Amino acid sequence: RDPSLSIIVSTGTETGQEMARQIISAATFIYFPIDLPCLVGKAIDRMAPDLFVTVETELWPNFLRACEKRRIPAVMVNGRLSPRSFRRYDRTRFFWKEVLSKVRFIGAISDIDAKRFLALGADPASLAVMGNAKYDSLAAAAAEEVRRSMRNLLSVPPGTQVFVAGSTHAGEESAVLSVYRRLRKEYPDCLLVLAPRHP
């Protein structure tokens, strides 16, 4: 909407860099600095951002403190806390409450995620359930020709129901297969696409 804005996209991995470069245009790409005060301070001073947007739950305490010190607002989109992450954060709730206070707004993916953020001490006034911006925008951006190309690549006839279990972890496949077996009773032609997080 505003071509004069400069967008800097940071990732923590090479895979993330490759993916970001493929799907985001009009941006500069960097690796996120290691969360040490001297490094994040230099990185922030060099970039001089007007706003820091963290995606999902990348809570870097020193980076957020450095933003606050420089009066750079920090917001979170796609905020999520898996049961495992929540248990880990919950053990040191006193620490994370202070870190969350540095985030001006948290857009949680679901009601469950919002409740977990509140349990860790997030300010209810700075929290809203926003849905999954990443998947919603990717689905909306998938042009019909891309959909057609994927259908052809996977030999999926038009109109076929497809159940996608993406980014699964060890042990989750058995639950996915159990659900898939039940789906097949109602949708005999349903196709399963299983994409493990760590192939």
Side-chain angles (χ1 to χ4, degrees):
R1 290 185 185 172
D2 185 348
S4 69
L5 293 178
S6 298
I7 299 171
I8 300 171
V9 177
S10 69
T11 66
T13 65
E14 287 182 29
T15 305
Q17 279 284 306
E18 289 173 24
M19 184 71 102
R21 289 172 190 273
Q22 287 175 21
I23 63 174
I24 302 170
S25 60
T28 299
F29 299 92
I30 63 167
Y31 285 98
F32 196 83
I34 296 170
D35 197 42
L36 296 172
C38 60
L39 297 179
V40 295
K42 285 179 184 175
I44 292 169
D45 290 342
R46 189 164 206 184
M47 291 180 283
D50 296 307
L51 173 70
F52 171 65
V53 180
T54 184
V55 180
E56 294 175 348
T57 311
E58 296 294 332
L59 292 171
W60 301 104
N62 291 313
F63 192 93
L64 290 169
R65 283 188 195 105
C67 284
E68 183 183 54
K69 182 179 174 184
R70 290 160 175 79
R71 296 195 170 113
I72 299 165
V75 299
M76 180 189 296
V77 295
N78 269 23
R80 65 181 298 270
L81 282 169
S82 68
R84 184 175 160 199
S85 295
F86 176 67
R87 283 192 300 273
R88 197 174 67 239
Y89 284 122
D90 197 38
R91 289 186 204 117
T92 52
R93 180 184 307 206
F94 63 92
F95 175 79
W96 294 107
K97 181 177 181 177
E98 189 264 335
V99 173
L100 287 170
S101 74
K102 313 286 184 227
V103 182
R104 288 202 191 169
F105 175 79
I106 298 171
I109 287 178
S110 70
D111 289 326
I112 292 171
D113 294 297
K115 286 175 185 167
R116 290 175 182 153
F117 280 111
L118 290 172
L120 292 179
D123 177 3
S126 70
L127 181 65
V129 176
M130 307 285 295
N132 192 326
K134 181 165 65 174
Y135 297 131
D136 293 347
S137 64
L138 284 173
E144 183 53 38
E145 65 184 68
V146 174
R147 295 176 192 179
R148 196 169 30 254
S149 171
M150 288 303 296
R151 275 198 304 265
N152 291 339
L153 180 68
L154 298 173
S155 301
V156 179
T160 301
Q161 298 287 330
V162 180
F163 173 35
V164 179
S167 198
T168 58
H169 290 83
E172 293 175 336
E173 287 84 2
S174 58
V176 167
L177 290 172
S178 173
V179 170
Y180 179 59
R181 283 188 196 99
R182 283 186 273 154
L183 281 173
R184 290 283 304 256
K185 290 176 184 170
E186 192 171 341
Y187 306 100
D189 296 331
C190 182
L191 176 69
L192 170 65
V193 177
L194 183 61
R197 176 142 185 115
H198 304 292

